[in-house]
Amino acid sequence: LQVHARLGLLGDFEPPRDSSTTQLWTPDTSGAATSAVGKVDHKREQERARKRARLATIQNRSVPPLRPNVVNRLAEHFTHLQFVTNGGIQSLTDLEQRLPPTMASTGNGGGVVGAMVGRAVINHLCSFSHVDHVLWGAPLPTWTRRQVMELYMEYCSQQEDEQAYIMRSTMKGPSTDILLETLRKKLVAVPFALFYGEEGNNAYQRAIRKLVRHPSRYTAAGMLKGALVHVPDHVLDQPVTEFQPWEAMESYTQYNQRSGPLQRAIL
C-alpha cells in the first residue's frame, strides 16, 4: 500500500512557530467511526478530478505552504513504516539535505527512505545526471548530449513502430492516427530541457514548439533532428555532467504561469 500526500496537506491546522512539539492529530479511540458504501459515478468523478487538476496545478504547489518537518515527525512516530518525502525539492542539493545521511533502506527498517522529484528534473535534466554518483557512489556518467539524443531518437522510432503496429492490428479508422500523433507529442517533450542554460537552447525549444504543431507530418525523431540543427557542435559534444547551475539561470516570472510539457520551466 502506498499513500501519496502532498507535504502541505498533512494536517488541517495552521502550524504555530514551534511546530516541532505540536501534535499532528488526535486519534479516534471511541470506535464511533463508520463507513458507508454508495454508488459512485466513476466517469463523472474522473472528469471532475481532471478539471480540478487543471485549475489548481500551479496553485496547489504553494497553497498551503509546505511543511517538510511533518514527514520527519511522522517517521519518528511510526518507526515501523517507510516514508518518501514529496514537494519543495528544486535541486540536487535540496535532495541531499532532505534525505538522511545513509540511503540504506533494506529489510523492514522505517524512517525517511527516499524523496520524489518531478519538476526539478524536468526543468534541468543534466543537473540530475550524476544523482547516482552523489547518493550511492556510482561512477560519473560519460555520455555526451549528442549520444543521449541519438539513442533517444532511436527509442522514439522504435516506440512509434511498435505502437503503430499494435494500434493498426487492433483498431480501425482515423483514431489510430490520432493516438500516434499524441504519442509523438509526448516523446518530443522528454528532452525539451536537455540543453537548458546552454548556447542554442532558445532556438532549439522554439523549433520543437513549431514542429510539434504538425505531428501528422513529422515523426518524433524527425522533429528532434530538425531542432538539433540549432544547437552548436561544442554543446552537443559536452558531457551531461557539465551544466549551468540552476541558480545562475535567468528566471522570468512576469507572464501567465501554465502547466504544460513544453514550457520554458514547469512550475
Side-chain angles (χ1 to χ4, degrees):
L1 173 63
Q2 292 184 347
V3 179
H4 295 259
R6 199 174 155 273
L7 295 180
L9 301 179
L10 291 176
D12 55 357
F13 60 91
E14 183 67 22
R17 293 183 179 180
D18 185 12
S19 60
S20 60
T21 59
T22 304
Q23 188 173 356
L24 291 174
W25 67 90
T26 302
D28 182 10
T29 59
S30 64
T34 59
S35 61
V37 179
K39 186 176 181 180
V40 178
D41 189 337
H42 294 284
K43 186 175 182 180
R44 178 179 296 179
E45 291 301 321
Q46 289 175 358
E47 180 58 33
R48 287 178 178 175
R50 283 193 291 266
K51 185 176 181 180
R52 288 195 298 267
R54 288 193 296 266
L55 295 176
T57 297
I58 296 172
Q59 185 183 20
N60 184 50
R61 294 166 186 156
S62 58
V63 180
L66 295 174
R67 295 158 53 199
N69 63 314
V70 171
V71 174
N72 295 328
R73 291 166 56 196
L74 287 171
E76 294 174 0
H77 189 85
F78 300 99
T79 57
H80 61 291
L81 298 178
Q82 295 183 347
F83 290 85
V84 177
T85 180
N86 178 22
I89 298 177
Q90 301 296 333
S91 64
L92 190 54
T93 302
D94 293 342
L95 179 63
E96 292 182 83
Q97 295 174 352
R98 188 70 61 82
L99 293 177
T102 175
M103 286 294 297
S105 59
T106 58
N108 297 322
V112 180
V113 299
M116 296 179 65
V117 185
R119 291 179 302 280
V121 178
I122 297 173
N123 290 334
H124 199 351
L125 296 173
C126 291
S127 66
F128 281 81
S129 60
H130 59 299
V131 63
D132 289 347
H133 173 75
V134 172
L135 296 182
W136 296 286
L140 283 171
T142 58
W143 299 92
T144 66
R145 289 169 170 81
R146 187 192 300 274
Q147 291 174 319
V148 170
M149 289 301 296
E150 288 176 348
L151 288 173
Y152 185 71
M153 286 189 290
E154 292 180 7
Y155 170 80
C156 290
S157 299
Q158 178 184 358
Q159 287 297 305
E160 284 193 41
D161 293 341
E162 291 180 358
Q163 293 301 319
Y165 175 77
I166 294 173
M167 288 185 293
R168 288 166 183 165
S169 301
T170 58
M171 303 173 60
K172 295 182 179 180
S175 58
T176 57
D177 295 331
I178 296 175
L179 292 175
L180 190 59
E181 293 171 9
T182 302
L183 173 65
R184 289 170 178 168
K185 292 179 181 179
K186 292 180 179 180
L187 290 171
V188 169
V190 174
F192 185 72
L194 182 63
F195 303 98
Y196 195 67
E198 305 296 337
E199 183 182 351
N201 174 70
N202 291 341
Y204 165 80
Q205 291 185 339
R206 286 196 299 268
I208 288 182
R209 286 198 185 104
K210 291 180 179 179
L211 293 170
V212 80
R213 299 173 186 169
H214 308 283
S216 61
R217 189 182 307 173
Y218 307 110
T219 63
M223 297 181 201
L224 294 175
K225 187 175 181 179
L228 285 177
V229 300
H230 301 283
V231 182
D233 287 338
H234 71 274
V235 176
L236 287 171
D237 295 327
Q238 186 177 2
V240 293
T241 52
E242 297 179 11
F243 54 86
Q244 294 292 330
W246 179 262
E247 296 77 11
M249 308 286 187
E250 291 185 354
S251 60
Y252 304 90
T253 58
Q254 303 302 319
Y255 59 90
N256 293 329
Q257 297 183 356
R258 301 177 180 178
S259 57
L262 297 181
Q263 304 300 320
R264 185 177 181 88
I266 306 299
L267 302 171

